Amino acid sequence: MTSAGTHSPPAAATARPWWQDMVLYEVHLPSLRDGDGDGIGDLHGLIESLDYLAHDLGVTALWTGPFFRSPLLDQGFDIADHCDVEPRFGDLATVDRLLAEARARGLRVIVDYVPNHTSDQHPWFQASRSSREDPKRDWYVWADARPGAELPNNWTSEAGGSVWEYDEPTGQFYLHSHLSEQPDLNWRHPGVRAAMLDVLRFWLDRGVDGFRIDVAHMLMKDPELRDNPPNPHGRNVYDLQHPDFDAQLHVNDRMHPDLHGVLRDMRRVVDAYPGDRVTIGEIESMGWTDWAAYFGAADELHLPFAFKLIETAWEATALRATVAELEAALPDGAWPILALGNHDRPRLATRLGRAQARVAAMLLLTLRGTPTLFYGDELGLVDQPVPLAAQRDAFGFTPGGVSRDPTRMPMPWSDAPNSGFAAPDVAELWLPVCREYATRNVAAQLAQPGSELGLYRSLLRLRVGSPALRAGSWTPYEPVPPEVLAYVRAAGDERKLVALNLTDRPSRVALGTAGTIALATGADRTGEPVRDALVLAPDEGVIVDLERRDDQEETSR
Ligand code: GLC
């Protein structure tokens, strides 16, 4: 971090770990590709997709999505055995094959680690609920109703309603921050800590490159279980959460400072292994100071997600402020991870429209930080309604619940029946086939350089080959018209101006220096020289290779 407008790479830039240079691809496993003929995506299908990911698209790492034993009420985030594979996805040998095949293509593999809760089918919970005296009783959070009240406190769940479920056999309530079938583990119990750290070791021993840690901000709760205060702000329109959840400020049911000790424990386990394994944290959108605390003193998460970026209005001033705030909050030597979509939110092209989704791709792949792509966004997929009878996400079955299935359609690989996601004769898919598959699919877009996939391929090649885009400084470029977000990425002699027109009106950016267009999101302008001004078409983003220094970009934010 520097005090001026320019943010330079840390001093240790010469020895960058691989995960600072990675482009991560989020696979939603049940939805990527069915490799064994049962209509649900699986590890075999993922292995079949590796050539596409590594060579056609050009990402450098994949995040698998949970593949552990699970009743799949929450797409596998409800785990019944952390150290075995759900048979619908494959088995341990398939995981080993995935790791080997990915490695052979130069791809890193990040797997999910879900420490906050288990499935109610997990043997630990079965034991815990069996009797108040069971040695595993306190592995979960049990409580009595508060005197004179019906429940232990007022906390609301992400899936709607109270977090407390009464369990008849032992006459107490257990805590579940999500579905009632997902009881929360009690990380204050040393047995839980030891067993869950062993889960990390199990997968590290098998050779994974790192973990995406589920809801890392939730691991510790207020030990006194104090009520949450009401939320004066209203709903979060970016996240597909139950309206009940937003009724209160979640200050006591998550983000307790003790969780940082847990993250340090996890980090110690991971750091004990060779090969720079990485920890990526899913932490909810929060203030920048709170976010920065998840790096610890470089001894907690390597990469806590900065979801504020997703939740920033699609408007130049707001986006510039968010990126500048992130850069300013980033601890020395720390590195951010960025995403503009994931399996819990409406798709990028749904939120912004297809034209601006292309501009968003350019933003994500030219910011200073590790970009994470959500499967199918590279095709410009939009959410699609899923009939109730075909829905899978149990979050949609709670009273008033919101299903995330519309975001999670089967990946359309071709125009074949079942869209190449499954063999043509498979009768039923995990979720209904993508409605646009006949024209919007991987095979079709690979043949069209102007397609969304063509744009992502070009952006990825540019980023991977550019020290400035991968690792260089980030400086806002000003002045620009209000509809434009512009910044310079620079390293050594290389200086790239990124100018994004966030509106559907034409725009013009005055330049103090000449350059050559490296890539544009719309019509092909590669190689076009620019001199005094850069003219931007409606909904167009452009990357320009600048010829020499320009005083303009040094103006402060
Ligand atoms: C995370 C996951 C989400 C899941 C929840 C409970 O937020 O991203 O999909 O439902 O955790 O595990």
Side-chain angles (χ1 to χ4, degrees), residues 26-29 63 65-66 74-75 77 112 212 214 239-240 282 307 341-347 374-375 393 403-408:
E26 178 188 354
V27 171
H28 195 63
L29 197 58
W63 151 26
D74 182 15
Q75 313 271 313
F77 290 100
D112 292 73
R212 178 270 192 186
D214 195 60
D239 209 347
L240 294 173
E282 184 209 18
F307 283 138
N342 64 33
H343 62 287
D344 293 327
R345 293 162 189 264
R347 278 189 177 269
F374 179 46
Y375 92 95
D393 180 13
S403 171
R404 295 162 294 179
D405 291 329
T407 301
R408 302 171 173 181

PDB file of all heavy atoms in Angstrom, residues 26-29 63 65-66 74-75 77 112 212 214 239-240 282 307 341-347 374-375 393 403-408:
ATOM      1  N   GLU A  26     -14.573 -21.158 -11.055  1.00  0.00           N
ATOM      2  CA  GLU A  26     -15.464 -21.864 -10.132  1.00  0.00           C
ATOM      3  C   GLU A  26     -16.336 -22.838 -10.903  1.00  0.00           C
ATOM      4  O   GLU A  26     -17.178 -22.456 -11.711  1.00  0.00           O
ATOM      5  CB  GLU A  26     -16.372 -20.896  -9.350  1.00  0.00           C
ATOM      6  CG  GLU A  26     -17.286 -21.713  -8.447  1.00  0.00           C
ATOM      7  CD  GLU A  26     -18.395 -20.965  -7.727  1.00  0.00           C
ATOM      8  OE1 GLU A  26     -18.461 -19.735  -7.790  1.00  0.00           O
ATOM      9  OE2 GLU A  26     -19.207 -21.669  -7.085  1.00  0.00           O
ATOM     10  N   VAL A  27     -16.151 -24.106 -10.590  1.00  0.00           N
ATOM     11  CA  VAL A  27     -16.969 -25.172 -11.159  1.00  0.00           C
ATOM     12  C   VAL A  27     -18.134 -25.380 -10.198  1.00  0.00           C
ATOM     13  O   VAL A  27     -17.916 -25.515  -9.000  1.00  0.00           O
ATOM     14  CB  VAL A  27     -16.156 -26.480 -11.196  1.00  0.00           C
ATOM     15  CG1 VAL A  27     -17.028 -27.653 -11.578  1.00  0.00           C
ATOM     16  CG2 VAL A  27     -14.960 -26.334 -12.120  1.00  0.00           C
ATOM     17  N   HIS A  28     -19.334 -25.430 -10.691  1.00  0.00           N
ATOM     18  CA  HIS A  28     -20.426 -25.877  -9.813  1.00  0.00           C
ATOM     19  C   HIS A  28     -20.670 -27.331 -10.207  1.00  0.00           C
ATOM     20  O   HIS A  28     -21.330 -27.613 -11.208  1.00  0.00           O
ATOM     21  CB  HIS A  28     -21.642 -24.987  -9.996  1.00  0.00           C
ATOM     22  CG  HIS A  28     -22.630 -25.166  -8.902  1.00  0.00           C
ATOM     23  ND1 HIS A  28     -22.345 -24.873  -7.584  1.00  0.00           N
ATOM     24  CD2 HIS A  28     -23.881 -25.644  -8.906  1.00  0.00           C
ATOM     25  CE1 HIS A  28     -23.386 -25.156  -6.837  1.00  0.00           C
ATOM     26  NE2 HIS A  28     -24.322 -25.628  -7.610  1.00  0.00           N
ATOM     27  N   LEU A  29     -20.110 -28.246  -9.443  1.00  0.00           N
ATOM     28  CA  LEU A  29     -19.936 -29.625  -9.905  1.00  0.00           C
ATOM     29  C   LEU A  29     -21.205 -30.277 -10.458  1.00  0.00           C
ATOM     30  O   LEU A  29     -21.165 -30.870 -11.545  1.00  0.00           O
ATOM     31  CB  LEU A  29     -19.324 -30.468  -8.776  1.00  0.00           C
ATOM     32  CG  LEU A  29     -18.723 -31.790  -9.223  1.00  0.00           C
ATOM     33  CD1 LEU A  29     -17.645 -31.613 -10.259  1.00  0.00           C
ATOM     34  CD2 LEU A  29     -18.169 -32.539  -8.017  1.00  0.00           C
ATOM     35  N   TRP A  63     -11.692 -24.389  -8.992  1.00  0.00           N
ATOM     36  CA  TRP A  63     -12.270 -24.633  -7.671  1.00  0.00           C
ATOM     37  C   TRP A  63     -13.431 -25.577  -7.928  1.00  0.00           C
ATOM     38  O   TRP A  63     -14.341 -25.252  -8.673  1.00  0.00           O
ATOM     39  CB  TRP A  63     -12.644 -23.304  -7.038  1.00  0.00           C
ATOM     40  CG  TRP A  63     -13.785 -23.280  -6.084  1.00  0.00           C
ATOM     41  CD1 TRP A  63     -14.255 -24.313  -5.314  1.00  0.00           C
ATOM     42  CD2 TRP A  63     -14.621 -22.161  -5.794  1.00  0.00           C
ATOM     43  NE1 TRP A  63     -15.321 -23.896  -4.565  1.00  0.00           N
ATOM     44  CE2 TRP A  63     -15.570 -22.592  -4.842  1.00  0.00           C
ATOM     45  CE3 TRP A  63     -14.666 -20.846  -6.243  1.00  0.00           C
ATOM     46  CZ2 TRP A  63     -16.560 -21.742  -4.333  1.00  0.00           C
ATOM     47  CZ3 TRP A  63     -15.635 -19.998  -5.742  1.00  0.00           C
ATOM     48  CH2 TRP A  63     -16.572 -20.448  -4.794  1.00  0.00           C
ATOM     49  N   GLY A  65     -15.970 -27.074  -6.186  1.00  0.00           N
ATOM     50  CA  GLY A  65     -17.292 -27.237  -5.565  1.00  0.00           C
ATOM     51  C   GLY A  65     -17.247 -28.506  -4.739  1.00  0.00           C
ATOM     52  O   GLY A  65     -16.452 -29.419  -5.007  1.00  0.00           O
ATOM     53  N   PRO A  66     -18.088 -28.591  -3.681  1.00  0.00           N
ATOM     54  CA  PRO A  66     -17.995 -29.745  -2.784  1.00  0.00           C
ATOM     55  C   PRO A  66     -18.373 -31.056  -3.483  1.00  0.00           C
ATOM     56  O   PRO A  66     -19.339 -31.100  -4.235  1.00  0.00           O
ATOM     57  CB  PRO A  66     -18.990 -29.426  -1.659  1.00  0.00           C
ATOM     58  CG  PRO A  66     -19.741 -28.207  -2.073  1.00  0.00           C
ATOM     59  CD  PRO A  66     -19.059 -27.595  -3.244  1.00  0.00           C
ATOM     60  N   ASP A  74     -28.039 -29.010  -0.026  1.00  0.00           N
ATOM     61  CA  ASP A  74     -27.421 -27.712  -0.286  1.00  0.00           C
ATOM     62  C   ASP A  74     -26.246 -27.916  -1.241  1.00  0.00           C
ATOM     63  O   ASP A  74     -25.138 -27.469  -0.999  1.00  0.00           O
ATOM     64  CB  ASP A  74     -26.974 -27.057   1.036  1.00  0.00           C
ATOM     65  CG  ASP A  74     -26.358 -25.675   0.835  1.00  0.00           C
ATOM     66  OD1 ASP A  74     -26.522 -25.103  -0.256  1.00  0.00           O
ATOM     67  OD2 ASP A  74     -25.706 -25.186   1.782  1.00  0.00           O
ATOM     68  N   GLN A  75     -26.519 -28.642  -2.326  1.00  0.00           N
ATOM     69  CA  GLN A  75     -25.537 -28.853  -3.411  1.00  0.00           C
ATOM     70  C   GLN A  75     -24.195 -29.363  -2.900  1.00  0.00           C
ATOM     71  O   GLN A  75     -23.160 -29.048  -3.469  1.00  0.00           O
ATOM     72  CB  GLN A  75     -25.300 -27.557  -4.179  1.00  0.00           C
ATOM     73  CG  GLN A  75     -26.558 -26.819  -4.557  1.00  0.00           C
ATOM     74  CD  GLN A  75     -27.134 -27.226  -5.888  1.00  0.00           C
ATOM     75  OE1 GLN A  75     -26.418 -27.317  -6.867  1.00  0.00           O
ATOM     76  NE2 GLN A  75     -28.416 -27.490  -5.928  1.00  0.00           N
ATOM     77  N   PHE A  77     -22.894 -28.700   0.164  1.00  0.00           N
ATOM     78  CA  PHE A  77     -22.380 -27.968   1.324  1.00  0.00           C
ATOM     79  C   PHE A  77     -22.961 -28.542   2.618  1.00  0.00           C
ATOM     80  O   PHE A  77     -22.754 -27.986   3.690  1.00  0.00           O
ATOM     81  CB  PHE A  77     -22.700 -26.472   1.212  1.00  0.00           C
ATOM     82  CG  PHE A  77     -21.909 -25.770   0.140  1.00  0.00           C
ATOM     83  CD1 PHE A  77     -22.471 -25.510  -1.090  1.00  0.00           C
ATOM     84  CD2 PHE A  77     -20.592 -25.390   0.370  1.00  0.00           C
ATOM     85  CE1 PHE A  77     -21.737 -24.865  -2.082  1.00  0.00           C
ATOM     86  CE2 PHE A  77     -19.855 -24.760  -0.611  1.00  0.00           C
ATOM     87  CZ  PHE A  77     -20.422 -24.493  -1.848  1.00  0.00           C
ATOM     88  N   ASP A 112     -13.194 -27.593  -1.757  1.00  0.00           N
ATOM     89  CA  ASP A 112     -13.990 -26.907  -0.737  1.00  0.00           C
ATOM     90  C   ASP A 112     -13.705 -27.482   0.645  1.00  0.00           C
ATOM     91  O   ASP A 112     -13.490 -28.691   0.794  1.00  0.00           O
ATOM     92  CB  ASP A 112     -15.477 -27.037  -1.054  1.00  0.00           C
ATOM     93  CG  ASP A 112     -15.844 -26.257  -2.302  1.00  0.00           C
ATOM     94  OD1 ASP A 112     -15.469 -26.713  -3.392  1.00  0.00           O
ATOM     95  OD2 ASP A 112     -16.450 -25.183  -2.169  1.00  0.00           O
ATOM     96  N   ARG A 212     -11.078 -23.593  -0.650  1.00  0.00           N
ATOM     97  CA  ARG A 212     -12.015 -22.470  -0.550  1.00  0.00           C
ATOM     98  C   ARG A 212     -12.818 -22.754   0.713  1.00  0.00           C
ATOM     99  O   ARG A 212     -13.547 -23.741   0.800  1.00  0.00           O
ATOM    100  CB  ARG A 212     -12.884 -22.407  -1.803  1.00  0.00           C
ATOM    101  CG  ARG A 212     -13.948 -21.287  -1.807  1.00  0.00           C
ATOM    102  CD  ARG A 212     -15.241 -21.768  -1.211  1.00  0.00           C
ATOM    103  NE  ARG A 212     -16.343 -20.854  -1.430  1.00  0.00           N
ATOM    104  CZ  ARG A 212     -17.542 -21.023  -0.888  1.00  0.00           C
ATOM    105  NH1 ARG A 212     -17.787 -22.065  -0.098  1.00  0.00           N
ATOM    106  NH2 ARG A 212     -18.504 -20.185  -1.133  1.00  0.00           N
ATOM    107  N   ASP A 214     -15.580 -22.348   3.274  1.00  0.00           N
ATOM    108  CA  ASP A 214     -16.974 -21.911   3.265  1.00  0.00           C
ATOM    109  C   ASP A 214     -17.275 -21.040   4.493  1.00  0.00           C
ATOM    110  O   ASP A 214     -16.847 -21.370   5.610  1.00  0.00           O
ATOM    111  CB  ASP A 214     -17.855 -23.167   3.280  1.00  0.00           C
ATOM    112  CG  ASP A 214     -19.301 -22.899   2.922  1.00  0.00           C
ATOM    113  OD1 ASP A 214     -19.556 -22.422   1.804  1.00  0.00           O
ATOM    114  OD2 ASP A 214     -20.176 -23.199   3.758  1.00  0.00           O
ATOM    115  N   ASP A 239     -27.480 -10.609  -3.028  1.00  0.00           N
ATOM    116  CA  ASP A 239     -27.310 -11.967  -2.521  1.00  0.00           C
ATOM    117  C   ASP A 239     -28.692 -12.616  -2.459  1.00  0.00           C
ATOM    118  O   ASP A 239     -29.667 -11.966  -2.098  1.00  0.00           O
ATOM    119  CB  ASP A 239     -26.695 -11.897  -1.116  1.00  0.00           C
ATOM    120  CG  ASP A 239     -25.871 -13.123  -0.813  1.00  0.00           C
ATOM    121  OD1 ASP A 239     -25.983 -14.107  -1.566  1.00  0.00           O
ATOM    122  OD2 ASP A 239     -25.118 -13.088   0.167  1.00  0.00           O
ATOM    123  N   LEU A 240     -28.751 -13.904  -2.824  1.00  0.00           N
ATOM    124  CA  LEU A 240     -30.046 -14.585  -2.840  1.00  0.00           C
ATOM    125  C   LEU A 240     -30.332 -15.194  -1.470  1.00  0.00           C
ATOM    126  O   LEU A 240     -30.338 -16.396  -1.285  1.00  0.00           O
ATOM    127  CB  LEU A 240     -30.050 -15.666  -3.931  1.00  0.00           C
ATOM    128  CG  LEU A 240     -29.956 -15.127  -5.361  1.00  0.00           C
ATOM    129  CD1 LEU A 240     -29.801 -16.262  -6.350  1.00  0.00           C
ATOM    130  CD2 LEU A 240     -31.181 -14.288  -5.700  1.00  0.00           C
ATOM    131  N   GLU A 282     -14.351 -17.644   1.892  1.00  0.00           N
ATOM    132  CA  GLU A 282     -15.632 -17.000   1.609  1.00  0.00           C
ATOM    133  C   GLU A 282     -16.016 -16.234   2.860  1.00  0.00           C
ATOM    134  O   GLU A 282     -16.322 -16.831   3.887  1.00  0.00           O
ATOM    135  CB  GLU A 282     -16.724 -18.025   1.286  1.00  0.00           C
ATOM    136  CG  GLU A 282     -18.021 -17.324   0.890  1.00  0.00           C
ATOM    137  CD  GLU A 282     -19.301 -18.084   1.210  1.00  0.00           C
ATOM    138  OE1 GLU A 282     -19.276 -19.005   2.039  1.00  0.00           O
ATOM    139  OE2 GLU A 282     -20.334 -17.742   0.647  1.00  0.00           O
ATOM    140  N   PHE A 307     -16.084  -9.328  -1.470  1.00  0.00           N
ATOM    141  CA  PHE A 307     -17.390  -9.329  -2.133  1.00  0.00           C
ATOM    142  C   PHE A 307     -18.022  -7.945  -2.240  1.00  0.00           C
ATOM    143  O   PHE A 307     -19.061  -7.796  -2.867  1.00  0.00           O
ATOM    144  CB  PHE A 307     -18.341 -10.291  -1.419  1.00  0.00           C
ATOM    145  CG  PHE A 307     -18.072 -11.723  -1.734  1.00  0.00           C
ATOM    146  CD1 PHE A 307     -18.109 -12.696  -0.757  1.00  0.00           C
ATOM    147  CD2 PHE A 307     -17.784 -12.117  -3.038  1.00  0.00           C
ATOM    148  CE1 PHE A 307     -17.853 -14.027  -1.057  1.00  0.00           C
ATOM    149  CE2 PHE A 307     -17.523 -13.443  -3.350  1.00  0.00           C
ATOM    150  CZ  PHE A 307     -17.563 -14.398  -2.352  1.00  0.00           C
ATOM    151  N   GLY A 341     -19.296 -12.807  -9.639  1.00  0.00           N
ATOM    152  CA  GLY A 341     -20.445 -13.696  -9.593  1.00  0.00           C
ATOM    153  C   GLY A 341     -20.058 -14.985  -8.915  1.00  0.00           C
ATOM    154  O   GLY A 341     -18.869 -15.293  -8.782  1.00  0.00           O
ATOM    155  N   ASN A 342     -21.059 -15.717  -8.450  1.00  0.00           N
ATOM    156  CA  ASN A 342     -20.836 -17.065  -7.942  1.00  0.00           C
ATOM    157  C   ASN A 342     -22.165 -17.796  -7.849  1.00  0.00           C
ATOM    158  O   ASN A 342     -23.191 -17.270  -8.291  1.00  0.00           O
ATOM    159  CB  ASN A 342     -20.062 -17.056  -6.611  1.00  0.00           C
ATOM    160  CG  ASN A 342     -20.837 -16.384  -5.490  1.00  0.00           C
ATOM    161  OD1 ASN A 342     -22.063 -16.454  -5.440  1.00  0.00           O
ATOM    162  ND2 ASN A 342     -20.124 -15.735  -4.591  1.00  0.00           N
ATOM    163  N   HIS A 343     -22.141 -18.985  -7.262  1.00  0.00           N
ATOM    164  CA  HIS A 343     -23.317 -19.857  -7.272  1.00  0.00           C
ATOM    165  C   HIS A 343     -24.410 -19.409  -6.301  1.00  0.00           C
ATOM    166  O   HIS A 343     -25.433 -20.081  -6.197  1.00  0.00           O
ATOM    167  CB  HIS A 343     -22.863 -21.272  -6.930  1.00  0.00           C
ATOM    168  CG  HIS A 343     -22.258 -21.351  -5.563  1.00  0.00           C
ATOM    169  ND1 HIS A 343     -21.004 -20.847  -5.278  1.00  0.00           N
ATOM    170  CD2 HIS A 343     -22.743 -21.810  -4.395  1.00  0.00           C
ATOM    171  CE1 HIS A 343     -20.750 -21.013  -4.001  1.00  0.00           C
ATOM    172  NE2 HIS A 343     -21.789 -21.595  -3.437  1.00  0.00           N
ATOM    173  N   ASP A 344     -24.187 -18.333  -5.569  1.00  0.00           N
ATOM    174  CA  ASP A 344     -25.180 -17.850  -4.599  1.00  0.00           C
ATOM    175  C   ASP A 344     -25.877 -16.578  -5.056  1.00  0.00           C
ATOM    176  O   ASP A 344     -26.701 -16.040  -4.315  1.00  0.00           O
ATOM    177  CB  ASP A 344     -24.495 -17.549  -3.252  1.00  0.00           C
ATOM    178  CG  ASP A 344     -23.979 -18.805  -2.580  1.00  0.00           C
ATOM    179  OD1 ASP A 344     -24.609 -19.862  -2.746  1.00  0.00           O
ATOM    180  OD2 ASP A 344     -22.946 -18.718  -1.889  1.00  0.00           O
ATOM    181  N   ARG A 345     -25.526 -16.102  -6.215  1.00  0.00           N
ATOM    182  CA  ARG A 345     -26.030 -14.778  -6.628  1.00  0.00           C
ATOM    183  C   ARG A 345     -26.576 -14.844  -8.044  1.00  0.00           C
ATOM    184  O   ARG A 345     -26.197 -15.718  -8.817  1.00  0.00           O
ATOM    185  CB  ARG A 345     -24.871 -13.772  -6.585  1.00  0.00           C
ATOM    186  CG  ARG A 345     -24.390 -13.526  -5.173  1.00  0.00           C
ATOM    187  CD  ARG A 345     -23.012 -12.906  -5.141  1.00  0.00           C
ATOM    188  NE  ARG A 345     -22.508 -12.884  -3.783  1.00  0.00           N
ATOM    189  CZ  ARG A 345     -22.601 -11.837  -2.957  1.00  0.00           C
ATOM    190  NH1 ARG A 345     -23.155 -10.728  -3.366  1.00  0.00           N
ATOM    191  NH2 ARG A 345     -22.136 -11.914  -1.732  1.00  0.00           N
ATOM    192  N   PRO A 346     -27.444 -13.868  -8.386  1.00  0.00           N
ATOM    193  CA  PRO A 346     -27.886 -13.810  -9.782  1.00  0.00           C
ATOM    194  C   PRO A 346     -26.668 -13.678 -10.696  1.00  0.00           C
ATOM    195  O   PRO A 346     -25.672 -13.056 -10.331  1.00  0.00           O
ATOM    196  CB  PRO A 346     -28.739 -12.536  -9.832  1.00  0.00           C
ATOM    197  CG  PRO A 346     -29.085 -12.214  -8.418  1.00  0.00           C
ATOM    198  CD  PRO A 346     -27.991 -12.776  -7.564  1.00  0.00           C
ATOM    199  N   ARG A 347     -26.763 -14.264 -11.884  1.00  0.00           N
ATOM    200  CA  ARG A 347     -25.611 -14.219 -12.790  1.00  0.00           C
ATOM    201  C   ARG A 347     -25.285 -12.794 -13.246  1.00  0.00           C
ATOM    202  O   ARG A 347     -26.161 -11.942 -13.330  1.00  0.00           O
ATOM    203  CB  ARG A 347     -25.876 -15.102 -14.008  1.00  0.00           C
ATOM    204  CG  ARG A 347     -25.592 -16.559 -13.749  1.00  0.00           C
ATOM    205  CD  ARG A 347     -25.647 -17.369 -15.022  1.00  0.00           C
ATOM    206  NE  ARG A 347     -25.300 -18.745 -14.721  1.00  0.00           N
ATOM    207  CZ  ARG A 347     -24.058 -19.229 -14.771  1.00  0.00           C
ATOM    208  NH1 ARG A 347     -23.062 -18.453 -15.138  1.00  0.00           N
ATOM    209  NH2 ARG A 347     -23.833 -20.492 -14.455  1.00  0.00           N
ATOM    210  N   PHE A 374     -17.005 -17.520 -12.742  1.00  0.00           N
ATOM    211  CA  PHE A 374     -18.046 -18.487 -12.398  1.00  0.00           C
ATOM    212  C   PHE A 374     -18.441 -19.227 -13.676  1.00  0.00           C
ATOM    213  O   PHE A 374     -18.718 -18.593 -14.703  1.00  0.00           O
ATOM    214  CB  PHE A 374     -19.244 -17.747 -11.800  1.00  0.00           C
ATOM    215  CG  PHE A 374     -20.386 -18.634 -11.416  1.00  0.00           C
ATOM    216  CD1 PHE A 374     -20.167 -19.814 -10.701  1.00  0.00           C
ATOM    217  CD2 PHE A 374     -21.684 -18.306 -11.765  1.00  0.00           C
ATOM    218  CE1 PHE A 374     -21.230 -20.633 -10.342  1.00  0.00           C
ATOM    219  CE2 PHE A 374     -22.741 -19.115 -11.403  1.00  0.00           C
ATOM    220  CZ  PHE A 374     -22.521 -20.284 -10.694  1.00  0.00           C
ATOM    221  N   TYR A 375     -18.462 -20.546 -13.614  1.00  0.00           N
ATOM    222  CA  TYR A 375     -18.718 -21.360 -14.807  1.00  0.00           C
ATOM    223  C   TYR A 375     -19.920 -20.800 -15.591  1.00  0.00           C
ATOM    224  O   TYR A 375     -20.930 -20.419 -15.001  1.00  0.00           O
ATOM    225  CB  TYR A 375     -18.967 -22.828 -14.395  1.00  0.00           C
ATOM    226  CG  TYR A 375     -20.444 -23.133 -14.160  1.00  0.00           C
ATOM    227  CD1 TYR A 375     -21.232 -23.681 -15.159  1.00  0.00           C
ATOM    228  CD2 TYR A 375     -21.055 -22.815 -12.961  1.00  0.00           C
ATOM    229  CE1 TYR A 375     -22.593 -23.919 -14.970  1.00  0.00           C
ATOM    230  CE2 TYR A 375     -22.399 -23.040 -12.754  1.00  0.00           C
ATOM    231  CZ  TYR A 375     -23.167 -23.588 -13.761  1.00  0.00           C
ATOM    232  OH  TYR A 375     -24.516 -23.797 -13.572  1.00  0.00           O
ATOM    233  N   ASP A 393     -32.419 -26.887  -4.971  1.00  0.00           N
ATOM    234  CA  ASP A 393     -31.850 -26.160  -3.832  1.00  0.00           C
ATOM    235  C   ASP A 393     -32.874 -26.111  -2.697  1.00  0.00           C
ATOM    236  O   ASP A 393     -33.910 -25.442  -2.817  1.00  0.00           O
ATOM    237  CB  ASP A 393     -31.486 -24.741  -4.287  1.00  0.00           C
ATOM    238  CG  ASP A 393     -30.892 -23.913  -3.161  1.00  0.00           C
ATOM    239  OD1 ASP A 393     -30.536 -24.498  -2.113  1.00  0.00           O
ATOM    240  OD2 ASP A 393     -30.784 -22.675  -3.333  1.00  0.00           O
ATOM    241  N   SER A 403     -34.760 -19.847  -4.120  1.00  0.00           N
ATOM    242  CA  SER A 403     -33.953 -20.891  -4.756  1.00  0.00           C
ATOM    243  C   SER A 403     -32.814 -20.266  -5.550  1.00  0.00           C
ATOM    244  O   SER A 403     -33.010 -19.271  -6.246  1.00  0.00           O
ATOM    245  CB  SER A 403     -34.831 -21.718  -5.697  1.00  0.00           C
ATOM    246  OG  SER A 403     -34.022 -22.589  -6.454  1.00  0.00           O
ATOM    247  N   ARG A 404     -31.644 -20.883  -5.464  1.00  0.00           N
ATOM    248  CA  ARG A 404     -30.513 -20.419  -6.250  1.00  0.00           C
ATOM    249  C   ARG A 404     -30.354 -21.239  -7.535  1.00  0.00           C
ATOM    250  O   ARG A 404     -29.409 -21.055  -8.290  1.00  0.00           O
ATOM    251  CB  ARG A 404     -29.242 -20.473  -5.401  1.00  0.00           C
ATOM    252  CG  ARG A 404     -29.299 -19.509  -4.210  1.00  0.00           C
ATOM    253  CD  ARG A 404     -28.300 -19.842  -3.136  1.00  0.00           C
ATOM    254  NE  ARG A 404     -28.613 -21.119  -2.517  1.00  0.00           N
ATOM    255  CZ  ARG A 404     -27.900 -21.681  -1.549  1.00  0.00           C
ATOM    256  NH1 ARG A 404     -26.845 -21.056  -1.077  1.00  0.00           N
ATOM    257  NH2 ARG A 404     -28.245 -22.847  -1.044  1.00  0.00           N
ATOM    258  N   ASP A 405     -31.315 -22.137  -7.793  1.00  0.00           N
ATOM    259  CA  ASP A 405     -31.229 -22.974  -8.989  1.00  0.00           C
ATOM    260  C   ASP A 405     -31.192 -22.189 -10.305  1.00  0.00           C
ATOM    261  O   ASP A 405     -30.522 -22.632 -11.252  1.00  0.00           O
ATOM    262  CB  ASP A 405     -32.388 -23.970  -9.023  1.00  0.00           C
ATOM    263  CG  ASP A 405     -32.271 -25.029  -7.944  1.00  0.00           C
ATOM    264  OD1 ASP A 405     -31.132 -25.378  -7.581  1.00  0.00           O
ATOM    265  OD2 ASP A 405     -33.313 -25.506  -7.452  1.00  0.00           O
ATOM    266  N   PRO A 406     -31.900 -21.043 -10.411  1.00  0.00           N
ATOM    267  CA  PRO A 406     -31.873 -20.331 -11.697  1.00  0.00           C
ATOM    268  C   PRO A 406     -30.471 -19.968 -12.175  1.00  0.00           C
ATOM    269  O   PRO A 406     -30.216 -19.838 -13.363  1.00  0.00           O
ATOM    270  CB  PRO A 406     -32.698 -19.063 -11.402  1.00  0.00           C
ATOM    271  CG  PRO A 406     -33.656 -19.492 -10.341  1.00  0.00           C
ATOM    272  CD  PRO A 406     -32.854 -20.432  -9.462  1.00  0.00           C
ATOM    273  N   THR A 407     -29.528 -19.828 -11.230  1.00  0.00           N
ATOM    274  CA  THR A 407     -28.147 -19.483 -11.573  1.00  0.00           C
ATOM    275  C   THR A 407     -27.331 -20.705 -12.006  1.00  0.00           C
ATOM    276  O   THR A 407     -26.261 -20.565 -12.570  1.00  0.00           O
ATOM    277  CB  THR A 407     -27.492 -18.887 -10.292  1.00  0.00           C
ATOM    278  OG1 THR A 407     -28.238 -17.754  -9.885  1.00  0.00           O
ATOM    279  CG2 THR A 407     -26.063 -18.499 -10.493  1.00  0.00           C
ATOM    280  N   ARG A 408     -27.850 -21.887 -11.703  1.00  0.00           N
ATOM    281  CA  ARG A 408     -27.005 -23.089 -11.722  1.00  0.00           C
ATOM    282  C   ARG A 408     -27.379 -24.073 -12.829  1.00  0.00           C
ATOM    283  O   ARG A 408     -27.306 -25.284 -12.639  1.00  0.00           O
ATOM    284  CB  ARG A 408     -27.112 -23.777 -10.356  1.00  0.00           C
ATOM    285  CG  ARG A 408     -26.708 -22.877  -9.195  1.00  0.00           C
ATOM    286  CD  ARG A 408     -27.026 -23.483  -7.849  1.00  0.00           C
ATOM    287  NE  ARG A 408     -26.497 -22.689  -6.745  1.00  0.00           N
ATOM    288  CZ  ARG A 408     -26.625 -23.005  -5.466  1.00  0.00           C
ATOM    289  NH1 ARG A 408     -27.282 -24.104  -5.112  1.00  0.00           N
ATOM    290  NH2 ARG A 408     -26.112 -22.233  -4.520  1.00  0.00           N
TER     291      ARG A 408
END
